[in-house]
Amino acid sequence: MANPAPFRFDNSFARDLPGFYVPWNPVTAPQPRLLFLNHPLAEELGFDVGALDERERAELFAGNRLPEGAQPIAQAYAGHQFGGFSPQLGDGRALLLGEVVDRLGRRRDLAFKGSGRTPFSRGGDGKAAVGPMLREVVVGEAMHALGVPTTRALAVAATGEPVHRERTLPGAVLTRVAASHLRVGSFEYFAARGETGRVRQLADYAIARHDPQLAGADERYLGLLKAVAERQARLVAQWMNLGFIHGVMNTDNMTISGETIDYGPCAFVEAYDPEAVFSSIDHHGRYAFANQPRIARWNLARLAETLLPLFDADQQRAVERATEVIDGFPAMFEQAWRRGQAAKLGMDPAGVVTDADGALADDWLALLQSQRVDFTLGWRRLADAAAGDEAALLSLFARPEELQPWLARWRERLARDDPGGGGSAVQAQAARAQAMRTVSPFLIPRNHRVEEVLAAASEAGDLAPLESLLDALRHPFAEGPRQRAWADPAAPELTAAYRTFCGT
Ligand code: AMP
Ligand code: MG
């Protein structure tokens, strides 16, 4: 039987970077069954879903029949994990199939996760379980709908094979779509081996792919570092303004593209707590909510170190140049974060964000924290307050009177943005509330609901709850019945006991 050719591959990584990977094939799944197919994403990729019958799709996405044009490879990378350096990680349970240029002309990686052992597997089995792969579906699609750059799930196929973790779980293969799979750790792999030529090759490849305007420029490698830093500053600012905790910001999980990658132990904060940590293996809170900007900077410093020889032949000079960029990161982050907060506070998006505005945001967060208010609903109900309805907001606070002075300050600040003349005050208020509702979602993937739909899918084989949650999450800024069904925070006891698990 001929292999299906649903994608038009153009595999630049495999073509341009021999020596950066090992050609490798997925293992065969005994009983492939398609659990999820992302139709809107398939459409973007120009993947003709209708050209394959159900069995062919299952075979394709379980890795049993490679699509024509795919050149599966295991990529080499290293990484700092929880601060310690592992010189050899790599695709231990993943394979890059190749790249597809989508309908909008964007080059996108297609990769398997859970497709069997590779030369990078170390002690691992190369497998993935249904639950964690479906978590990538739910959280990735939610992030995408929230406007956050992210890798996305195209499909999940059950393999029909058990995988052995603390318990025996059903196995699965995820097909992941990414702007690329270049990571900070990809550079670290070659830098740690003293292979400066290869670091340069990789940097040139990254520039061609993500920052083509830098190609041929004098200081292109420094430009690349700056561009990555800017993307990460914007990304982490978006996370922070949505209450997202990545959970495992190791350098092998930080992309050059600026997309969020690897939804392992991630979680969304509920009752606001900047120290929130959910990951069962993050004992020291390294990846706690409020620590994420610092970690991003730390990771970027590791990237900068790999690029030093490319910045300047004079080492001291190279270090100075790199340091300038890394030291500039907190300001980059702060600007993106404060801009995001200003929009959530209902301020004029074109206006200047002052220190006083920053203090207003800080004091708001302090109120959410001291009264353990749900982060998402707190911001959302602030939009209602902007429209004149304070009751729902006040009801979130145990001691609402403590919010009153802040509300007065906030209103005063907003009054300064109000356009004089034209339109009624009520219209202006409604427009502001509407704008706030486009940046403060009503629905996020709540941890307890995600666990619930994953358990139904993994343990009972029931995918209906997942489909229903996904359907609501595709419109996270809407507040209709579909969203309401999934929007309630967990009981505080449940959140306090919530733990996420990595490497599953
Ligand atoms: P992750 O925690 O998924 O970011 O993975 C970190 C590293 O561990 C990567 O090199 C993975 O390929 C590898 N890894 C994770 N799980 C497995 C597994 N079950 N089998 C082989 N390698 C794995
Ligand atoms: Mg990873």
Side-chain angles (χ1 to χ4, degrees):
M1 197 170 10
N3 282 344
F7 301 105
R8 271 180 300 137
F9 281 99
D10 177 50
N11 305 329
S12 68
F13 190 95
R15 187 167 59 234
D16 298 350
L17 296 173
F20 290 70
Y21 60 83
V22 182
W24 205 257
N25 279 309
V27 295
T28 301
Q31 243 177 15
R33 195 162 59 87
L34 192 63
L35 300 181
F36 168 77
L37 180 60
N38 192 332
H39 288 272
L41 182 56
E43 165 74 13
E44 271 179 40
L45 295 171
F47 166 39
D48 183 5
V49 173
L52 305 177
D53 66 26
E54 201 177 316
R55 203 176 55 86
E56 287 171 325
R57 289 183 206 168
E59 296 268 348
L60 172 69
F61 290 115
N64 288 8
R65 290 206 307 167
L66 284 174
E68 199 181 305
Q71 284 173 281
I73 58 175
Q75 290 180 304
Y77 58 84
H80 277 86
Q81 300 183 305
F82 292 91
F85 186 58
S86 297
Q88 172 141 342
L89 294 171
D91 284 335
R93 57 163 169 174
L95 292 171
L96 176 63
L97 295 182
E99 301 140 38
V100 173
V101 177
D102 75 9
R103 287 187 189 277
L104 294 175
R106 297 171 299 187
R107 177 176 294 274
R108 299 172 87 174
D109 276 8
L110 236 61
F112 282 152
K113 186 166 176 175
S115 49
R117 288 181 52 81
T118 76
F120 300 104
S121 295
R122 298 170 292 156
D125 60 2
K127 303 280 168 64
V130 165
M133 297 306 100
L134 290 176
R135 180 192 303 279
E136 293 241 4
V137 171
V138 174
V139 187
E141 288 309 285
M143 294 290 265
H144 175 69
L146 290 163
V148 182
T150 179
T151 68
R152 294 178 67 188
L154 175 63
V156 175
T159 59
E161 198 170 46
V163 302
H164 304 287
R165 299 291 181 259
E166 279 167 15
R167 289 184 297 145
T168 299
L169 299 167
V173 176
L174 164 77
T175 303
R176 179 159 76 183
V177 175
S180 83
H181 282 80
L182 300 175
R183 311 145 191 266
V184 171
S186 314
F187 288 86
E188 290 182 286
Y189 183 91
F190 298 100
R193 284 163 178 73
E195 299 189 50
T196 305
R198 285 205 161 148
V199 174
R200 184 188 302 274
Q201 247 184 301
L202 198 59
D204 285 331
Y205 180 83
I207 287 170
R209 196 141 171 196
H210 298 299
D211 299 288
Q213 75 289 354
L214 293 174
D218 273 353
E219 298 209 313
R220 58 186 172 277
Y221 303 115
L222 200 65
L224 174 64
L225 178 65
K226 268 188 213 155
V228 176
E230 272 158 20
R231 285 192 281 271
Q232 288 294 334
R234 286 197 299 270
L235 179 68
V236 176
Q238 280 190 290
W239 292 356
M240 301 301 287
N241 282 330
L242 289 166
F244 177 75
I245 308 174
H246 183 281
V248 60
M249 287 176 72
N250 294 332
T251 56
D252 51 305
N253 291 336
M254 185 186 264
T255 59
I256 300 304
S257 68
E259 285 182 344
T260 313
I261 195 169
D262 268 12
Y263 295 101
C266 62
F268 281 80
V269 67
E270 300 214 327
Y272 179 59
D273 173 11
E275 305 301 318
V277 176
F278 294 109
S279 169
S280 61
I281 57 169
D282 190 359
H283 303 297
H284 303 288
R286 180 179 171 88
Y287 300 139
F289 179 72
N291 230 14
Q292 298 185 113
R294 267 192 297 276
I295 293 295
R297 178 192 173 165
W298 192 89
N299 289 349
L300 288 164
R302 304 291 77 73
L303 176 63
E305 283 165 3
T306 72
L307 299 174
L308 281 179
L310 313 186
F311 293 157
D312 204 300
D314 177 317
Q315 204 196 345
Q316 197 186 331
R317 183 88 195 106
V319 170
E320 281 166 17
R321 303 305 306 275
T323 305
E324 265 170 52
V325 178
I326 301 303
D327 285 351
F329 181 79
M332 278 180 212
F333 165 76
E334 176 98 3
Q335 204 199 9
W337 182 52
R338 292 300 193 194
R339 275 232 156 269
Q341 284 179 330
K344 289 168 82 82
L345 287 167
M347 294 174 190
D348 177 359
V352 179
V353 184
T354 65
D355 287 351
D357 297 337
L360 190 67
D362 288 345
D363 293 344
W364 161 253
L365 292 179
L367 282 160
L368 294 185
Q369 185 185 357
S370 68
Q371 302 202 33
R372 303 198 52 77
V373 174
D374 182 81
F375 184 84
T376 303
L377 291 182
W379 279 110
R380 182 72 180 192
R381 294 297 164 239
L382 193 62
D384 300 338
D389 172 14
E390 282 182 359
L393 174 65
L394 293 171
S395 76
L396 298 174
F397 286 76
R399 300 179 302 281
E401 66 285 359
E402 290 177 17
L403 181 63
Q404 292 297 351
W406 184 88
L407 281 175
R409 262 168 76 201
W410 173 60
R411 290 203 183 285
E412 213 171 285
R413 172 62 184 82
L414 293 187
R416 277 193 276 128
D417 273 355
D418 277 333
S424 75
V426 173
Q427 277 173 338
Q429 278 185 350
R432 165 175 288 136
Q434 231 8 68
M436 291 167 74
R437 290 186 191 112
T438 66
V439 287
S440 289
F442 174 58
L443 185 65
I444 46 137
R446 299 230 172 236
N447 308 320
H448 64 300
R449 304 313 301 269
V450 173
E451 296 301 334
E452 189 184 308
V453 307
L454 297 186
S458 180
E459 287 159 26
D462 180 6
L463 289 158
L466 182 133
E467 292 291 351
S468 161
L469 175 58
L470 209 52
D471 182 48
L473 285 169
R474 290 204 188 282
H475 304 281
F477 300 103
E479 199 169 335
R482 277 188 300 172
Q483 285 74 26
R484 271 195 283 275
W486 298 99
D488 285 345
E493 320 81 78
L494 215 64
T495 298
Y498 186 63
R499 291 288 169 275
T500 60
F501 299 91
C502 186
T504 41

